[in-house]
């Protein structure tokens, strides 16, 4: 429309997501969001709703972007579980090494601050973590692990994945992060040998 400023919703949402990811929900002001997105307050509200609604949209965008990558990594788990889980962790390690995004994980960061967030945001973070455990459990089950082993390793591997993100926030070296992954893969390899 003539006279109406147009903008790309996806670009604005990505900019807001990066701002929240970098500073956290509580330390991101509306002024920060207007600077990051290039939108004025009125456009921000009319396009995304209030800060809480925008944060929920950012969590969904983040979970979708990285969830798809995790799903792709685990796609061949029934044929090569260890390779698939290594690829799963590689998604996190590549994100950590990406200079274009902040360290850590927006979901993990959100989960650690749920006491000061709205119930809707806390529930969304909890659901994202549940989905990560579910995708791991599905891959582990497809590879032939027993229900109890699949449950236990899904919880363990999801926790390790989140710990990689947390450790990256304190600039832990890539070598140490890979060591964490290798220990988990060693335990999974041992469980697979016992299972066969």
């Amino acid at each position: 429309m003539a006279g109406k400023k147009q903008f790309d919703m996806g670009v604005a949402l990505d900019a807001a997501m990066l701002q929240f990811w970098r500073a956290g929900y509580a330390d991101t002001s509306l002024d920060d969001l207007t600077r990051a997105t290039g939108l004025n307050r009125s456009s921000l509200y009319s396009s995304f709703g209030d800060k809480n609604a925008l944060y929920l949209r950012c969590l969904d965008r983040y979970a979708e972007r990285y969830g798809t990558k995790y799903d792709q990594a685990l796609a061949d788990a029934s044929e090569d579980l260890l390779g698939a889980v290594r690829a799963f962790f590689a998604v996190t390690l590549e994100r950590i090494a990406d200079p274009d995004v902040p360290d850590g994980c927006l979901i993990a960061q959100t989960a650690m601050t749920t006491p000061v967030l709205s119930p809707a945001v806390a529930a969304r973070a909890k659901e994202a973590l549940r989905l990560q455990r579910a995708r791991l459990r599905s891959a582990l089950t497809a590879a032939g692990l027993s229900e109890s082993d699949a449950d236990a390793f899904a919880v363990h591997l999801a926790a390790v994945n989140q710990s990689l993100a947390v450790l990256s926030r304190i600039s832990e070296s890539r070598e140490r992060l890979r060591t964490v992954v290798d220990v988990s893969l060693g335990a999974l390899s041992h469980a697979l040998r016992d299972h066969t």
Side-chain angles (χ1 to χ4, degrees), residues 9-98:
M9 292 279 281
V11 170
L13 196 53
D14 281 343
M17 180 180 73
L18 289 173
Q19 174 59 42
F20 282 129
W21 189 353
R22 192 174 299 109
Y25 179 87
D27 290 331
T28 295
S29 68
L30 284 175
D31 287 340
D32 293 329
L33 291 168
T34 59
R35 273 191 298 276
T37 62
L39 301 175
N40 61 38
R41 285 181 184 228
S42 174
S43 295
L44 203 61
Y45 277 111
S46 65
S47 300
F48 300 108
D50 64 9
K51 180 180 167 184
N52 202 61
L54 176 56
Y55 195 68
L56 288 169
R57 296 265 308 262
C58 289
L59 284 176
D60 289 344
R61 190 165 182 88
Y62 181 93
E64 180 182 329
R65 179 170 295 155
Y66 292 105
T68 298
K69 291 180 180 185
Y70 287 130
D71 288 338
Q72 291 167 348
L74 293 171
D76 295 328
S78 61
E79 285 125 37
D80 179 12
L81 179 60
L82 291 176
V85 173
R86 186 175 295 283
F88 172 87
F89 284 128
V91 171
T92 299
L93 294 174
E94 286 166 16
R95 186 188 68 230
I96 288 167
D98 185 346

Side-chain angles (χ1 to χ4, degrees), residues 1 46 140:
M1 289 175 63
S46 65
L140 293 159

Side-chain angles (χ1 to χ4, degrees), residues 108-158:
Q109 180 178 311
T110 303
M112 290 186 292
T113 58
T114 54
V116 298
L117 299 174
S118 75
V121 171
R124 193 72 53 91
K126 186 175 182 179
E127 176 62 9
L129 293 171
R130 187 199 67 74
L131 286 172
Q132 186 170 90
R133 286 191 303 272
R135 73 172 42 97
L136 283 161
R137 187 184 183 289
S138 178
L140 293 159
T141 302
L145 281 182
S146 68
E147 295 286 321
S148 62
D149 283 349
D151 282 339
F153 269 103
V155 170
H156 171 78
L157 296 172

